[in-house]
């Protein structure tokens, strides 16, 4: 090869490598921002093939067949840019030849599902508290930047002055309604339930930087909810955390001045370690491992806060409850699906193996993230009841459990 040609080839190679490196760095920066920037909307990725009306007026929806849409259980379907919501029941027909399934539409809460072109699969079931058919009240919790709305569900009048409260914490990108699945079992146990909102979730006041703290900052809003509970007679607290809400619960139990009042935690599809969770999501998105690690560096760096917009860097070490397992000091019930595609089940399994004295793991065959209750609500609620009755505060019956502390 002539020298000039060789130099040109070398130059092209250097440029290509530089472009690839810049693209990787840009990918790492985008990855780091995506982790902490709240989303105003989500892409409606699941096409609606048809909506069928039966002779009695009931509806059925036809969706593309997948592991998720074929799964047993009850699910939620958001459509029309989040303004429409429906509860979907079991599969009634399967059509392999056209790769479709038909499910029952149990309830349409809002929107016109017959006009929906696409939507988002979810586990909410309930989009509003009144759908539970249980008495509740809207309350306001004073927080750092204003007032955060919450829902309060009191137990039946058979439980006099319950002293144990449940504080329910939703996940990332979600709303308080996502935790409503845990209310009925808490009520049967004689607990007063407080469903809190937290900074940057669209309900509570935003933080100054408008960014998620992955539990590092949000726990203070949960602490405000605990203060409300205590001021209204609570002596013991059980934290119910879903996904990011589990990470927030772990931080709350560790850092709250009222930590001694936290009797235990029920964690659904929990984030025990953000590195494990984010690395799994980075791999799924096709981001090479070195750039995932660079994304971690950006999140941790004070000098690179301009990339993410964070007021303070994220201390991933303080959020790693696998490395900090010896510091756990509360009974924890973990409910997690083995095929979770967002928060690795292996992290929950490791937490249970590291602290078998405190962590009880219940496995589910759910498909997707935080859908354990949806596929087997009886098992989910029975597991909570059995675990709760094993706590030191629990008595022989739900009525006694609510009054003990």
């Amino acid at each position: 090869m002539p020298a000039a040609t060789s130099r040109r080839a070398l130059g092209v190679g250097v440029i290509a490598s530089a472009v690839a490196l810049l693209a990787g760095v840009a990918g790492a920066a985008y990855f780091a921002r995506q982790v902490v920037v709240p989303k105003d909307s989500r892409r409606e990725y699941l096409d609606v093939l048809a909506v069928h009306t039966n002779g009695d007026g009931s509806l059925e929806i036809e969706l593309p067949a997948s592991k998720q849409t074929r799964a047993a259980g009850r699910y939620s379907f958001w459509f029309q840019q989040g303004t429409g919501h429906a509860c979907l029941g079991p599969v009634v027909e399967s059509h392999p030849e056209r790769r479709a399934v038909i499910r029952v539409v149990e309830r349409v809460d809002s929107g016109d599902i017959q006009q929906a072109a696409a939507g988002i699969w979810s586990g909410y079931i309930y989009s509003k508290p009144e759908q539970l058919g249980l008495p509740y009240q809207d309350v306001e919790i004073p927080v750092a930047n204003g007032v955060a709305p919450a829902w309060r569900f009191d137990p039946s009048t058979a439980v006099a002055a319950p002293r144990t409260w449940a504080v329910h914490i939703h996940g990332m990108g979600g709303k308080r309604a996502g935790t409503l699945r845990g209310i009925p079992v808490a009520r049967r146990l004689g607990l007063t339930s407080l469903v809190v909102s937290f900074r940057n979730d669209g309900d509570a006041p935003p933080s100054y930087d408008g960014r998620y703290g992955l539990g590092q900052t949000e726990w203070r809003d949960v602490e405000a909810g605990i203060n409300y509970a205590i001021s209204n007679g609570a002596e013991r607290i059980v934290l119910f955390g879903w996904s990011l809400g589990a990470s927030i619960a772990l931080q709350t139990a560790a850092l709250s001045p009222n930590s001694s009042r936290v009797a235990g935690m029920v964690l659904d599809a929990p984030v025990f370690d953000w590195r494990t969770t984010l690395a799994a999501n980075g791999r799924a998105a096709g981001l090479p491992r070195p750039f995932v690690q660079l994304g971690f560096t950006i999140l941790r760096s004070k000098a690179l806060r301009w990339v993410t917009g964070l007021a303070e860097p994220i201390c991933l070490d303080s959020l790693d409850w696998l490395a900090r397992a010896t510091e756990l000091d509360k009974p924890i019930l973990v409910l997690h699906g083995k095929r979770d595609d967002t928060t690795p089940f292996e992290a929950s399994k490791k937490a249970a193996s590291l602290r078998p004295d405190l962590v009880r793991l219940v496995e589910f065959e759910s498909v997707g993230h935080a859908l354990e209750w949806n596929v087997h609500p009886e098992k989910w609620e029975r597991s909570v009841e059995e675990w709760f009755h094993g706590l030191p505060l629990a008595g022989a019956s739900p009525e006694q459990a609510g009054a003990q502390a």
Side-chain angles (χ1 to χ4, degrees):
M1 179 183 293
T5 302
S6 179
R7 284 195 297 272
R8 281 197 299 273
L10 179 61
V12 169
V14 169
I15 292 171
S17 297
V19 169
L21 178 61
L22 288 172
V25 171
Y30 178 77
F31 172 69
R33 280 185 60 85
Q34 287 292 101
V35 171
V36 297
V37 176
K39 310 297 185 297
D40 294 328
S41 61
R42 294 169 58 193
R43 182 177 67 86
E44 295 181 342
Y45 60 88
L46 185 59
D47 292 336
V48 175
L49 302 180
V51 176
H52 308 285
T53 303
N54 298 319
D56 60 0
S58 63
L59 299 176
E60 295 174 348
I61 189 169
E62 187 169 347
L63 301 167
S66 68
K67 289 181 179 179
Q68 199 163 67
T69 60
R70 288 195 300 264
R74 302 168 67 213
Y75 299 91
S76 173
F77 190 69
W78 295 92
F79 54 95
Q80 294 174 340
Q81 290 72 55
T83 62
H85 179 266
C87 175
L88 306 186
V91 173
V92 291
E93 291 182 37
S94 182
H95 297 278
E97 72 284 357
R98 61 175 188 262
R99 299 178 181 177
V101 296
I102 297 176
R103 302 188 74 111
V104 171
V105 177
E106 289 188 2
R107 191 183 71 241
V108 178
D109 301 325
S110 59
D112 184 354
I113 197 169
Q114 293 177 299
Q115 298 300 315
I120 297 169
W121 191 260
S122 165
Y124 274 45
I125 298 297
Y126 309 107
S127 62
K128 302 172 185 177
E130 51 266 32
Q131 292 159 3
L132 286 170
L134 300 173
Y136 78 97
Q137 56 184 303
D138 291 296
V139 299
E140 295 183 332
I141 309 295
V143 294
N145 286 345
V147 175
W151 295 316
R152 173 176 169 174
F153 292 82
D154 289 305
S156 67
T157 54
V159 181
R163 304 293 179 87
T164 304
W165 285 43
V167 176
H168 303 257
I169 315 162
H170 68 78
M172 181 179 285
K175 299 287 188 181
R176 285 175 288 160
T179 71
L180 292 174
R181 290 165 285 178
I183 299 299
V185 67
R187 191 171 192 269
R188 289 200 303 274
L189 290 169
L191 308 181
T192 296
S193 282
L194 188 67
V195 182
V196 299
S197 55
F198 56 78
R199 60 194 66 188
N200 306 311
D201 70 355
D203 286 338
S207 60
Y208 292 114
D209 60 6
R211 297 293 186 266
Y212 287 127
L214 307 186
Q216 181 173 285
T217 54
E218 293 87 351
W219 75 269
R220 297 184 183 279
D221 299 329
V222 175
E223 169 66 10
I226 291 175
N227 287 334
Y228 170 88
I230 292 171
S231 69
N232 282 270
E235 294 184 5
R236 294 290 184 272
I237 304 293
V238 177
L239 299 174
F240 282 65
W242 300 70
S243 190
L244 165 63
S247 180
I248 297 171
L250 288 162
Q251 290 299 103
T252 304
L255 299 174
S256 168
N258 294 302
S259 178
S260 63
R261 294 178 183 263
V262 177
M265 291 175 273
V266 176
L267 307 182
D268 186 284
V271 179
F272 274 107
D273 168 35
W274 279 103
R275 288 190 187 89
T276 301
T277 296
L278 296 178
N281 283 269
R283 285 194 301 272
L287 192 63
R289 188 172 182 275
F291 295 118
V292 171
Q293 296 299 318
L294 179 57
F296 293 162
T297 299
I298 293 171
L299 288 171
R300 294 194 308 261
S301 171
K302 196 165 187 175
L304 294 174
R305 286 176 299 149
W306 61 271
V307 176
T308 58
L310 287 164
E312 294 294 333
I314 302 292
C315 182
L316 294 173
D317 288 341
S318 70
L319 300 173
D320 185 349
W321 289 101
L322 298 180
R324 299 180 62 189
T326 56
E327 300 175 46
L328 295 172
D329 60 358
K330 312 289 184 186
I332 299 172
L333 173 65
V334 176
L335 307 152
H336 206 162
K338 292 188 289 185
R339 292 181 285 175
D340 191 328
D341 55 4
T342 298
T343 302
F345 171 77
E346 291 304 315
S348 290
K349 190 174 181 180
K350 185 174 181 181
S353 68
L354 289 170
R355 293 302 305 271
D357 56 323
L358 286 178
V359 180
R360 179 188 299 180
L361 173 62
V362 180
E363 303 176 5
F364 287 77
E365 295 297 333
S366 50
V367 177
H369 179 55
L371 300 175
E372 291 77 13
W373 183 95
N374 301 77
V375 72
H376 206 324
E378 296 84 3
K379 178 180 177 180
W380 197 99
E381 295 182 5
R382 183 176 66 250
S383 298
V384 172
E385 289 174 336
E386 292 173 353
W387 171 84
F388 180 82
H389 286 305
L391 295 178
L393 60 85
S397 70
E399 290 76 14
Q400 292 170 334
Q404 280 190 353

